[in-house]
Structures are given as C-alpha cells and as structure tokens.
Amino acid sequence: MCSADGAFISVRNLSVDFQPVGVLDRVSFDVAQGELVCVVGPSGCGKSTLLNVLAGFQAPTAGSVRIGGAEVDGPDKSRIAVFQESAVFPWLTVEENVGFGLLGLSRGERRRRVAAGIERVGLGGFEHAYPPQLSGGMKQRAEVARALATQARVLFMDEPFGALDFLTRLKLRADLLDIWRAERQTIVFITHDVEEAVQLADRVLVLSRRPAAVVAEVRIDLGRPRDLDAPAYLRARDRILELLGVTRA
Amino acid sequence: MTPAARRLPVSGDATASQRAIDPELAGGRPEAAATVAAPSRREEVPGRRALLGLGPPLAVGAGLALTWHVAARASGGDLVPTPGEVALAIGELAGKGVLLDYVVASLFRVSWGFGLAVLLGVPLGLALGWYPAAFRALNPVLQLLRPISPIAWIPLAILWFGVSDLAPIFLIFLASVLPIAMAAAAAVHGIPVVYLRAARNFGLKGPLLVTKVILPAALPQLLTGLRLALGVAWMVVVAAEMIAVTSGLGYLIVDARNAGKRYDLVVAGMLLIGVIGLLLDQGLRRLERSGHVQR
C-alpha cells in the first residue's frame, strides 16, 4: 500500500497557477497511514485548492499526489471530502444521504452501514429528517456519517466545522477524534483556526501566503484528550501563530 | 483558501427554531431532542390566518369591480359592459354548454404545446447548462430566436399546419420551449459546486448523475422557469386561437366581436383567461413550495 519511504500520501512539488497568480508553489509533504494532519495558513492562501487537488477534484499545474502508491487522477470513493458548506443533499433524508455512496451494495449491507454511520455521529432519531430541518452542526454530522458509511480510509476535510458556532465546533472536534481513534482513517484537515489544529493534529503543516508553500511542519507530541492549558499545548500554538506572522503582545 | 471557496454555507445559518432542536446546543442527546423536533417542514399556517390572508386581495377585487361598474354606468354603457352584464354573459355561455368546451379546448392546446416544450426544453437546457461548449455554440441562436414574438410565427404556422389544432400547439410549443431551455440551463449553472463534487466523489456519472443529483439540485429553479413559461404559453394560446381555429377562449373573444359586437362576451372571455391563468400559476407555485422541492 505504501511507497518505499513509508508515506501513505505523498505530495511532491505541487504547484497550481490560476493566471496570473500562483496559488500553490512547489508544496511537498507526506502523510503516514492513520495520521491526522492539519493544514493551517493565512486566509486566501490556497488551502482549499490544496485539498481539491489532493481529493482529485482539480488537476495541479505541476507536481504529483500519490496515495497508497497510486497517482491521484480524479476523485475516488476510497477517499471522501467533507466540505465547509454542507454538501449533504437537501432533497434526500439523512438516511438517504448517508446511504448515497453505497449504491452498489446489497440492501442489507447498505442498511447496516447507514445505521452504523448515523449511530457513530449521534444522529439517531433523525434518520428521516431533511437537511434543511437540521442545524449546521447536525448537517456536518450527516456529512461525516456519509463519508464513514463508505468505509473510506482517507478523509479530506475542508474547514468542516468552520461555519459552526463555538460550542458546536468543540463538540464536533471531540466526536471526530473519538471516531478517528476507533477507526484510524488517514485525515488531512484544513483549517484557519490554529487552536483547532493543535487540538486535533498529530502534525500541523503551516502554509505561507499566496502562492502557498509549506513554511514548517509542527509535530504535536501531546496525548489525547489534550489539556488546553498545558505548557506544551500553548507552546505549540504560539509557535504556529509566530510562523503565521502573528506577533503576540 | 481561495476567495471562491469562502462562500456562505449553501443553506444559510441555522435559524433560532433550528437551533432549538440541535442536540449540541440543547445539551441533550439527539434521541431526546428528536421528540421535541416536530417533523414539519414549514411553519403551519392556521386556517384562520389563511382566511384572513384572502381578505386584502378580495377587498381589492371588490373595489375594482365597483369602480368598473361606476365607470361603465357613467360612460353610458357603450364603451364597456358592466360587471353584472359580464357575469350574465358567462352564465349564458354556461347555459349553452360552450363554456366548458372552450375552456377545455384552450387547455388541451396548452397541455400539448407546453408538454412537448417541457419534453424537449428540459433535456436541451440541462445539456446546455452542463456542457459549456454546447452553450457557447447554441446560445447566440437561442437569444436571436427569443425576441421574436410567437405571434410573428402565426403566418408560417398557418402555412405549415393549416386551420387545425396543430397550429396553436406549434405556437405554444415555440413560445415556451426557449424560456424552459434557458431556465433549465440557468438552473444547472446555479447548482452549488459542492453537490457536484460530492457526487463525483461517490463515483456517480452518466445517467445516475443526472437523475440522482443534477435534476433534483436544479429542480427548484427549474420549476420557477416552468411556471413563467406556462404563463407565456397561456397568453399565446389565446392569441393563436384568434386566428387559426374555431374553438377556445381566444376564438370566443374574436367571434363575439365579429358575430354581433357582443362586448359582454368579449370581456367574459378576457376574465376567464385571467382566472384560468391565475389557477395555473397557483398550481405550479404549490408544486414549487411542496416539501421535497423547497430548499
């Protein structure tokens, strides 16, 4: 599954140009299997473009993305993207949304996976609700459940909790970590929120302004659940803020 | 993060009532919250409120009828019949048994013309919306045809189809197929890109992509386009019937004038056209607002 150097996702010299400006400038990094990597950067720096290329929605101008040794040349069911603007389909119920990626499966298997996915994200009781009836947080839960139901081993998350209020965001982060610790998907999680990155990640990639390059990789060597007052947590956070050019008084 | 990706969430922020059923914020488990969340899609309008809602339009209608009556009387009754005379004229049509025949004849032509336009215009428009090259190639021609009033086609329609139902059906088809195709193309253009990305992510393509994602995603905007096109179709059936056939509400208006200067029947025909147009519009509006379509 993995390439010779042990990387599961291998990004090499990835560049994207939207004329006349470059968006990504020779971005290179690796992600190990089962690792949770967060990508932070100034707003407008090209984080979403990076994710769109990783997920195969967009072709890079130069460079390559390899996942499990194979070159990415389009989206695939084995790696599912979760978006900030809820991408659950408003014309389908929660249950139908979660089962959406399972069209080829038998009825029984489909039902089992849909039920498990809904249970996993805590949406039990809302199977027959339509997304417009749900809050922003519940829509994002439904979208995560849809990704889980496909048993994708890679999740690309583009500020999935970015549009939610503070308390909902905290709860969804904690629940995502529970799911990840149980199932160990490989997760690339884009965020502009440094605190979120340090709370979640094994490793944080810091991008520069546009055209974005990887400025630094900060390993977060902290156990979970994380103590948000621990000196090591605060040090990691401040280091990243500094890398982003935010000076602290 | 590109500026394009910083768009607002598709379905807007949670409203206060939606927050109330959010288990995160309600502080309970979703299962507990579920009993609180009544599965109604919209706020129920109580019957009394619906009746009160009819008040203002009825008052305006009554006021207009009164003004009409006074003006008709003041003019000595030569310029326009009074509302009472028009009501009697409608009664006369009903008594002769032609009222229903004429209404049905007009609706029959609209059903065929509009139905064929939907059958051709919707797939054409979806394709135009989906394939930019097709849009670029065809759009100038469609925009060139669009300002040509369907009425301008009447001579050719008579030449091709003679005095038969086919001529008005053809005219109605012409009048509605372009607006329908343009509305369908715009509806596809308006589909949020995340829906299409999600669909591709789950491996959907070809006919499944169309039926499972593109069509349902485009449906709300498409239905609005269909409603507007139906309005145009209904306007055209009347115009077409004035020339090419011997039945229908358009024929009634011309015949009433030519045969005996029966202006009470002329206005009766006009009023019937308006009422049926209103009902058609209300019908499609109801469809637009129905549960699975509203976003």
Side-chain angles (χ1 to χ4, degrees), chain B residues 252-284:
Chain B
L252 165 68
I253 290 173
V254 174
D255 189 49
R257 186 209 166 268
N258 290 346
K261 299 205 185 318
R262 286 285 308 275
Y263 289 100
D264 55 341
L265 286 174
V266 169
V267 178
M270 290 166 67
L271 205 60
L272 286 168
I273 287 160
V275 169
I276 292 167
L278 175 74
L279 293 177
L280 291 176
D281 191 71
Q282 289 295 320
L284 270 184

PDB file of all heavy atoms in Angstrom, chain B residues 252-284:
ATOM      1  N   LEU B 252     -63.482  32.635 -28.865  1.00  0.00           N
ATOM      2  CA  LEU B 252     -64.675  33.233 -28.270  1.00  0.00           C
ATOM      3  C   LEU B 252     -64.610  34.760 -28.362  1.00  0.00           C
ATOM      4  O   LEU B 252     -65.587  35.422 -28.750  1.00  0.00           O
ATOM      5  CB  LEU B 252     -64.789  32.796 -26.806  1.00  0.00           C
ATOM      6  CG  LEU B 252     -65.760  33.601 -25.922  1.00  0.00           C
ATOM      7  CD1 LEU B 252     -67.206  33.367 -26.358  1.00  0.00           C
ATOM      8  CD2 LEU B 252     -65.588  33.258 -24.452  1.00  0.00           C
ATOM      9  N   ILE B 253     -63.460  35.332 -28.014  1.00  0.00           N
ATOM     10  CA  ILE B 253     -63.319  36.790 -27.987  1.00  0.00           C
ATOM     11  C   ILE B 253     -63.491  37.379 -29.393  1.00  0.00           C
ATOM     12  O   ILE B 253     -64.251  38.336 -29.597  1.00  0.00           O
ATOM     13  CB  ILE B 253     -61.944  37.169 -27.386  1.00  0.00           C
ATOM     14  CG1 ILE B 253     -61.950  36.851 -25.885  1.00  0.00           C
ATOM     15  CG2 ILE B 253     -61.625  38.639 -27.626  1.00  0.00           C
ATOM     16  CD1 ILE B 253     -60.617  37.009 -25.216  1.00  0.00           C
ATOM     17  N   VAL B 254     -62.813  36.801 -30.361  1.00  0.00           N
ATOM     18  CA  VAL B 254     -62.885  37.320 -31.726  1.00  0.00           C
ATOM     19  C   VAL B 254     -64.276  37.110 -32.311  1.00  0.00           C
ATOM     20  O   VAL B 254     -64.855  37.999 -32.939  1.00  0.00           O
ATOM     21  CB  VAL B 254     -61.819  36.636 -32.616  1.00  0.00           C
ATOM     22  CG1 VAL B 254     -61.990  37.062 -34.062  1.00  0.00           C
ATOM     23  CG2 VAL B 254     -60.436  36.980 -32.115  1.00  0.00           C
ATOM     24  N   ASP B 255     -64.828  35.919 -32.054  1.00  0.00           N
ATOM     25  CA  ASP B 255     -66.129  35.574 -32.607  1.00  0.00           C
ATOM     26  C   ASP B 255     -67.221  36.465 -32.026  1.00  0.00           C
ATOM     27  O   ASP B 255     -68.128  36.904 -32.750  1.00  0.00           O
ATOM     28  CB  ASP B 255     -66.427  34.100 -32.308  1.00  0.00           C
ATOM     29  CG  ASP B 255     -67.670  33.618 -33.038  1.00  0.00           C
ATOM     30  OD1 ASP B 255     -67.757  33.858 -34.258  1.00  0.00           O
ATOM     31  OD2 ASP B 255     -68.537  33.010 -32.387  1.00  0.00           O
ATOM     32  N   ALA B 256     -67.124  36.743 -30.710  1.00  0.00           N
ATOM     33  CA  ALA B 256     -68.140  37.567 -30.055  1.00  0.00           C
ATOM     34  C   ALA B 256     -68.167  38.967 -30.673  1.00  0.00           C
ATOM     35  O   ALA B 256     -69.208  39.577 -30.835  1.00  0.00           O
ATOM     36  CB  ALA B 256     -67.877  37.640 -28.559  1.00  0.00           C
ATOM     37  N   ARG B 257     -66.992  39.456 -31.005  1.00  0.00           N
ATOM     38  CA  ARG B 257     -66.930  40.777 -31.604  1.00  0.00           C
ATOM     39  C   ARG B 257     -67.429  40.741 -33.053  1.00  0.00           C
ATOM     40  O   ARG B 257     -68.280  41.529 -33.455  1.00  0.00           O
ATOM     41  CB  ARG B 257     -65.501  41.301 -31.569  1.00  0.00           C
ATOM     42  CG  ARG B 257     -65.418  42.750 -32.050  1.00  0.00           C
ATOM     43  CD  ARG B 257     -64.099  43.084 -32.689  1.00  0.00           C
ATOM     44  NE  ARG B 257     -64.226  44.355 -33.411  1.00  0.00           N
ATOM     45  CZ  ARG B 257     -64.549  44.452 -34.678  1.00  0.00           C
ATOM     46  NH1 ARG B 257     -64.791  43.364 -35.401  1.00  0.00           N
ATOM     47  NH2 ARG B 257     -64.657  45.635 -35.260  1.00  0.00           N
ATOM     48  N   ASN B 258     -66.897  39.810 -33.825  1.00  0.00           N
ATOM     49  CA  ASN B 258     -67.238  39.755 -35.250  1.00  0.00           C
ATOM     50  C   ASN B 258     -68.699  39.428 -35.486  1.00  0.00           C
ATOM     51  O   ASN B 258     -69.346  40.004 -36.350  1.00  0.00           O
ATOM     52  CB  ASN B 258     -66.374  38.700 -35.965  1.00  0.00           C
ATOM     53  CG  ASN B 258     -64.931  39.143 -36.061  1.00  0.00           C
ATOM     54  OD1 ASN B 258     -64.631  40.325 -35.843  1.00  0.00           O
ATOM     55  ND2 ASN B 258     -64.049  38.213 -36.374  1.00  0.00           N
ATOM     56  N   ALA B 259     -69.216  38.495 -34.682  1.00  0.00           N
ATOM     57  CA  ALA B 259     -70.547  37.974 -34.965  1.00  0.00           C
ATOM     58  C   ALA B 259     -71.645  38.917 -34.510  1.00  0.00           C
ATOM     59  O   ALA B 259     -72.733  38.921 -35.067  1.00  0.00           O
ATOM     60  CB  ALA B 259     -70.727  36.604 -34.308  1.00  0.00           C
ATOM     61  N   GLY B 260     -71.413  39.724 -33.486  1.00  0.00           N
ATOM     62  CA  GLY B 260     -72.532  40.545 -33.049  1.00  0.00           C
ATOM     63  C   GLY B 260     -72.154  41.664 -32.118  1.00  0.00           C
ATOM     64  O   GLY B 260     -72.971  42.157 -31.367  1.00  0.00           O
ATOM     65  N   LYS B 261     -70.885  42.043 -32.147  1.00  0.00           N
ATOM     66  CA  LYS B 261     -70.425  43.111 -31.258  1.00  0.00           C
ATOM     67  C   LYS B 261     -70.879  42.860 -29.823  1.00  0.00           C
ATOM     68  O   LYS B 261     -71.364  43.765 -29.149  1.00  0.00           O
ATOM     69  CB  LYS B 261     -70.902  44.478 -31.762  1.00  0.00           C
ATOM     70  CG  LYS B 261     -70.378  44.830 -33.155  1.00  0.00           C
ATOM     71  CD  LYS B 261     -70.339  46.327 -33.335  1.00  0.00           C
ATOM     72  CE  LYS B 261     -69.939  46.753 -34.752  1.00  0.00           C
ATOM     73  NZ  LYS B 261     -68.837  45.975 -35.329  1.00  0.00           N
ATOM     74  N   ARG B 262     -70.748  41.582 -29.413  1.00  0.00           N
ATOM     75  CA  ARG B 262     -71.145  41.236 -28.050  1.00  0.00           C
ATOM     76  C   ARG B 262     -69.978  41.480 -27.098  1.00  0.00           C
ATOM     77  O   ARG B 262     -69.242  40.569 -26.739  1.00  0.00           O
ATOM     78  CB  ARG B 262     -71.569  39.754 -27.994  1.00  0.00           C
ATOM     79  CG  ARG B 262     -72.923  39.474 -28.636  1.00  0.00           C
ATOM     80  CD  ARG B 262     -74.072  39.937 -27.752  1.00  0.00           C
ATOM     81  NE  ARG B 262     -73.980  39.420 -26.391  1.00  0.00           N
ATOM     82  CZ  ARG B 262     -74.440  38.224 -26.027  1.00  0.00           C
ATOM     83  NH1 ARG B 262     -75.011  37.430 -26.886  1.00  0.00           N
ATOM     84  NH2 ARG B 262     -74.347  37.837 -24.783  1.00  0.00           N
ATOM     85  N   TYR B 263     -69.799  42.743 -26.680  1.00  0.00           N
ATOM     86  CA  TYR B 263     -68.629  43.054 -25.846  1.00  0.00           C
ATOM     87  C   TYR B 263     -68.736  42.453 -24.451  1.00  0.00           C
ATOM     88  O   TYR B 263     -67.718  42.274 -23.784  1.00  0.00           O
ATOM     89  CB  TYR B 263     -68.387  44.568 -25.812  1.00  0.00           C
ATOM     90  CG  TYR B 263     -67.872  45.045 -27.145  1.00  0.00           C
ATOM     91  CD1 TYR B 263     -68.715  45.654 -28.069  1.00  0.00           C
ATOM     92  CD2 TYR B 263     -66.536  44.810 -27.493  1.00  0.00           C
ATOM     93  CE1 TYR B 263     -68.233  46.043 -29.314  1.00  0.00           C
ATOM     94  CE2 TYR B 263     -66.062  45.197 -28.740  1.00  0.00           C
ATOM     95  CZ  TYR B 263     -66.917  45.815 -29.645  1.00  0.00           C
ATOM     96  OH  TYR B 263     -66.432  46.173 -30.864  1.00  0.00           O
ATOM     97  N   ASP B 264     -69.962  42.133 -24.016  1.00  0.00           N
ATOM     98  CA  ASP B 264     -70.066  41.434 -22.729  1.00  0.00           C
ATOM     99  C   ASP B 264     -69.381  40.063 -22.817  1.00  0.00           C
ATOM    100  O   ASP B 264     -68.685  39.638 -21.901  1.00  0.00           O
ATOM    101  CB  ASP B 264     -71.525  41.307 -22.296  1.00  0.00           C
ATOM    102  CG  ASP B 264     -72.397  40.635 -23.367  1.00  0.00           C
ATOM    103  OD1 ASP B 264     -71.972  40.604 -24.547  1.00  0.00           O
ATOM    104  OD2 ASP B 264     -73.485  40.141 -23.014  1.00  0.00           O
ATOM    105  N   LEU B 265     -69.544  39.392 -23.974  1.00  0.00           N
ATOM    106  CA  LEU B 265     -68.877  38.099 -24.159  1.00  0.00           C
ATOM    107  C   LEU B 265     -67.366  38.266 -24.323  1.00  0.00           C
ATOM    108  O   LEU B 265     -66.584  37.424 -23.877  1.00  0.00           O
ATOM    109  CB  LEU B 265     -69.456  37.367 -25.385  1.00  0.00           C
ATOM    110  CG  LEU B 265     -70.840  36.767 -25.190  1.00  0.00           C
ATOM    111  CD1 LEU B 265     -71.369  36.204 -26.509  1.00  0.00           C
ATOM    112  CD2 LEU B 265     -70.820  35.680 -24.126  1.00  0.00           C
ATOM    113  N   VAL B 266     -66.964  39.363 -24.967  1.00  0.00           N
ATOM    114  CA  VAL B 266     -65.526  39.637 -25.125  1.00  0.00           C
ATOM    115  C   VAL B 266     -64.869  39.740 -23.751  1.00  0.00           C
ATOM    116  O   VAL B 266     -63.867  39.079 -23.457  1.00  0.00           O
ATOM    117  CB  VAL B 266     -65.294  40.938 -25.922  1.00  0.00           C
ATOM    118  CG1 VAL B 266     -63.823  41.348 -25.853  1.00  0.00           C
ATOM    119  CG2 VAL B 266     -65.734  40.762 -27.371  1.00  0.00           C
ATOM    120  N   VAL B 267     -65.461  40.575 -22.890  1.00  0.00           N
ATOM    121  CA  VAL B 267     -64.878  40.757 -21.560  1.00  0.00           C
ATOM    122  C   VAL B 267     -64.988  39.470 -20.745  1.00  0.00           C
ATOM    123  O   VAL B 267     -64.097  39.130 -19.969  1.00  0.00           O
ATOM    124  CB  VAL B 267     -65.546  41.949 -20.842  1.00  0.00           C
ATOM    125  CG1 VAL B 267     -64.976  42.098 -19.434  1.00  0.00           C
ATOM    126  CG2 VAL B 267     -65.302  43.231 -21.639  1.00  0.00           C
ATOM    127  N   ALA B 268     -66.070  38.726 -20.941  1.00  0.00           N
ATOM    128  CA  ALA B 268     -66.204  37.439 -20.250  1.00  0.00           C
ATOM    129  C   ALA B 268     -65.045  36.525 -20.623  1.00  0.00           C
ATOM    130  O   ALA B 268     -64.441  35.872 -19.756  1.00  0.00           O
ATOM    131  CB  ALA B 268     -67.541  36.783 -20.620  1.00  0.00           C
ATOM    132  N   GLY B 269     -64.712  36.494 -21.920  1.00  0.00           N
ATOM    133  CA  GLY B 269     -63.584  35.680 -22.373  1.00  0.00           C
ATOM    134  C   GLY B 269     -62.287  36.141 -21.732  1.00  0.00           C
ATOM    135  O   GLY B 269     -61.475  35.329 -21.260  1.00  0.00           O
ATOM    136  N   MET B 270     -62.103  37.468 -21.675  1.00  0.00           N
ATOM    137  CA  MET B 270     -60.885  38.003 -21.064  1.00  0.00           C
ATOM    138  C   MET B 270     -60.786  37.592 -19.602  1.00  0.00           C
ATOM    139  O   MET B 270     -59.730  37.168 -19.118  1.00  0.00           O
ATOM    140  CB  MET B 270     -60.882  39.539 -21.173  1.00  0.00           C
ATOM    141  CG  MET B 270     -60.685  40.042 -22.596  1.00  0.00           C
ATOM    142  SD  MET B 270     -61.092  41.799 -22.755  1.00  0.00           S
ATOM    143  CE  MET B 270     -59.815  42.548 -21.777  1.00  0.00           C
ATOM    144  N   LEU B 271     -61.918  37.717 -18.917  1.00  0.00           N
ATOM    145  CA  LEU B 271     -61.924  37.398 -17.485  1.00  0.00           C
ATOM    146  C   LEU B 271     -61.616  35.915 -17.246  1.00  0.00           C
ATOM    147  O   LEU B 271     -60.841  35.558 -16.343  1.00  0.00           O
ATOM    148  CB  LEU B 271     -63.306  37.755 -16.912  1.00  0.00           C
ATOM    149  CG  LEU B 271     -63.355  38.068 -15.424  1.00  0.00           C
ATOM    150  CD1 LEU B 271     -62.453  39.255 -15.112  1.00  0.00           C
ATOM    151  CD2 LEU B 271     -64.797  38.365 -14.999  1.00  0.00           C
ATOM    152  N   LEU B 272     -62.203  35.058 -18.087  1.00  0.00           N
ATOM    153  CA  LEU B 272     -61.959  33.621 -17.934  1.00  0.00           C
ATOM    154  C   LEU B 272     -60.482  33.293 -18.159  1.00  0.00           C
ATOM    155  O   LEU B 272     -59.890  32.477 -17.449  1.00  0.00           O
ATOM    156  CB  LEU B 272     -62.823  32.836 -18.924  1.00  0.00           C
ATOM    157  CG  LEU B 272     -64.317  32.773 -18.566  1.00  0.00           C
ATOM    158  CD1 LEU B 272     -65.131  32.243 -19.748  1.00  0.00           C
ATOM    159  CD2 LEU B 272     -64.522  31.898 -17.336  1.00  0.00           C
ATOM    160  N   ILE B 273     -59.886  33.964 -19.155  1.00  0.00           N
ATOM    161  CA  ILE B 273     -58.459  33.745 -19.427  1.00  0.00           C
ATOM    162  C   ILE B 273     -57.628  34.105 -18.192  1.00  0.00           C
ATOM    163  O   ILE B 273     -56.741  33.363 -17.768  1.00  0.00           O
ATOM    164  CB  ILE B 273     -58.012  34.604 -20.625  1.00  0.00           C
ATOM    165  CG1 ILE B 273     -58.576  34.006 -21.913  1.00  0.00           C
ATOM    166  CG2 ILE B 273     -56.492  34.679 -20.709  1.00  0.00           C
ATOM    167  CD1 ILE B 273     -58.607  35.001 -23.070  1.00  0.00           C
ATOM    168  N   GLY B 274     -57.990  35.268 -17.596  1.00  0.00           N
ATOM    169  CA  GLY B 274     -57.244  35.702 -16.413  1.00  0.00           C
ATOM    170  C   GLY B 274     -57.386  34.723 -15.263  1.00  0.00           C
ATOM    171  O   GLY B 274     -56.406  34.352 -14.624  1.00  0.00           O
ATOM    172  N   VAL B 275     -58.631  34.272 -15.016  1.00  0.00           N
ATOM    173  CA  VAL B 275     -58.865  33.380 -13.876  1.00  0.00           C
ATOM    174  C   VAL B 275     -58.124  32.055 -14.068  1.00  0.00           C
ATOM    175  O   VAL B 275     -57.473  31.545 -13.145  1.00  0.00           O
ATOM    176  CB  VAL B 275     -60.379  33.135 -13.691  1.00  0.00           C
ATOM    177  CG1 VAL B 275     -60.623  32.002 -12.704  1.00  0.00           C
ATOM    178  CG2 VAL B 275     -61.044  34.416 -13.205  1.00  0.00           C
ATOM    179  N   ILE B 276     -58.194  31.506 -15.293  1.00  0.00           N
ATOM    180  CA  ILE B 276     -57.518  30.218 -15.528  1.00  0.00           C
ATOM    181  C   ILE B 276     -56.002  30.394 -15.436  1.00  0.00           C
ATOM    182  O   ILE B 276     -55.294  29.560 -14.873  1.00  0.00           O
ATOM    183  CB  ILE B 276     -57.941  29.622 -16.883  1.00  0.00           C
ATOM    184  CG1 ILE B 276     -59.420  29.219 -16.803  1.00  0.00           C
ATOM    185  CG2 ILE B 276     -57.093  28.411 -17.232  1.00  0.00           C
ATOM    186  CD1 ILE B 276     -60.030  28.911 -18.142  1.00  0.00           C
ATOM    187  N   GLY B 277     -55.495  31.514 -15.944  1.00  0.00           N
ATOM    188  CA  GLY B 277     -54.060  31.789 -15.820  1.00  0.00           C
ATOM    189  C   GLY B 277     -53.636  31.839 -14.371  1.00  0.00           C
ATOM    190  O   GLY B 277     -52.604  31.273 -13.983  1.00  0.00           O
ATOM    191  N   LEU B 278     -54.453  32.486 -13.543  1.00  0.00           N
ATOM    192  CA  LEU B 278     -54.164  32.561 -12.115  1.00  0.00           C
ATOM    193  C   LEU B 278     -54.116  31.164 -11.494  1.00  0.00           C
ATOM    194  O   LEU B 278     -53.211  30.829 -10.721  1.00  0.00           O
ATOM    195  CB  LEU B 278     -55.232  33.409 -11.423  1.00  0.00           C
ATOM    196  CG  LEU B 278     -55.153  33.498  -9.895  1.00  0.00           C
ATOM    197  CD1 LEU B 278     -53.995  34.395  -9.498  1.00  0.00           C
ATOM    198  CD2 LEU B 278     -56.450  34.017  -9.298  1.00  0.00           C
ATOM    199  N   LEU B 279     -55.104  30.327 -11.862  1.00  0.00           N
ATOM    200  CA  LEU B 279     -55.156  28.981 -11.291  1.00  0.00           C
ATOM    201  C   LEU B 279     -53.949  28.149 -11.717  1.00  0.00           C
ATOM    202  O   LEU B 279     -53.365  27.414 -10.902  1.00  0.00           O
ATOM    203  CB  LEU B 279     -56.457  28.275 -11.710  1.00  0.00           C
ATOM    204  CG  LEU B 279     -57.742  28.877 -11.122  1.00  0.00           C
ATOM    205  CD1 LEU B 279     -58.972  28.158 -11.667  1.00  0.00           C
ATOM    206  CD2 LEU B 279     -57.713  28.809  -9.592  1.00  0.00           C
ATOM    207  N   LEU B 280     -53.566  28.253 -12.996  1.00  0.00           N
ATOM    208  CA  LEU B 280     -52.388  27.506 -13.467  1.00  0.00           C
ATOM    209  C   LEU B 280     -51.152  27.920 -12.680  1.00  0.00           C
ATOM    210  O   LEU B 280     -50.346  27.091 -12.246  1.00  0.00           O
ATOM    211  CB  LEU B 280     -52.162  27.771 -14.958  1.00  0.00           C
ATOM    212  CG  LEU B 280     -53.185  27.188 -15.939  1.00  0.00           C
ATOM    213  CD1 LEU B 280     -52.869  27.631 -17.362  1.00  0.00           C
ATOM    214  CD2 LEU B 280     -53.193  25.663 -15.846  1.00  0.00           C
ATOM    215  N   ASP B 281     -50.998  29.242 -12.490  1.00  0.00           N
ATOM    216  CA  ASP B 281     -49.841  29.765 -11.772  1.00  0.00           C
ATOM    217  C   ASP B 281     -49.837  29.267 -10.329  1.00  0.00           C
ATOM    218  O   ASP B 281     -48.811  28.840  -9.813  1.00  0.00           O
ATOM    219  CB  ASP B 281     -49.887  31.294 -11.815  1.00  0.00           C
ATOM    220  CG  ASP B 281     -48.591  31.899 -11.331  1.00  0.00           C
ATOM    221  OD1 ASP B 281     -47.595  31.769 -12.071  1.00  0.00           O
ATOM    222  OD2 ASP B 281     -48.568  32.477 -10.234  1.00  0.00           O
ATOM    223  N   GLN B 282     -51.023  29.305  -9.706  1.00  0.00           N
ATOM    224  CA  GLN B 282     -51.115  28.845  -8.319  1.00  0.00           C
ATOM    225  C   GLN B 282     -50.747  27.367  -8.209  1.00  0.00           C
ATOM    226  O   GLN B 282     -50.078  26.949  -7.272  1.00  0.00           O
ATOM    227  CB  GLN B 282     -52.537  29.063  -7.788  1.00  0.00           C
ATOM    228  CG  GLN B 282     -52.878  30.523  -7.549  1.00  0.00           C
ATOM    229  CD  GLN B 282     -52.040  31.145  -6.441  1.00  0.00           C
ATOM    230  OE1 GLN B 282     -51.785  30.514  -5.427  1.00  0.00           O
ATOM    231  NE2 GLN B 282     -51.589  32.368  -6.653  1.00  0.00           N
ATOM    232  N   GLY B 283     -51.189  26.596  -9.210  1.00  0.00           N
ATOM    233  CA  GLY B 283     -50.887  25.164  -9.189  1.00  0.00           C
ATOM    234  C   GLY B 283     -49.398  24.904  -9.203  1.00  0.00           C
ATOM    235  O   GLY B 283     -48.879  24.129  -8.404  1.00  0.00           O
ATOM    236  N   LEU B 284     -48.685  25.596 -10.091  1.00  0.00           N
ATOM    237  CA  LEU B 284     -47.233  25.369 -10.174  1.00  0.00           C
ATOM    238  C   LEU B 284     -46.513  25.965  -8.968  1.00  0.00           C
ATOM    239  O   LEU B 284     -45.509  25.431  -8.521  1.00  0.00           O
ATOM    240  CB  LEU B 284     -46.673  25.948 -11.471  1.00  0.00           C
ATOM    241  CG  LEU B 284     -46.676  24.967 -12.646  1.00  0.00           C
ATOM    242  CD1 LEU B 284     -46.017  25.570 -13.855  1.00  0.00           C
ATOM    243  CD2 LEU B 284     -45.992  23.665 -12.271  1.00  0.00           C
TER     244      LEU B 284
END
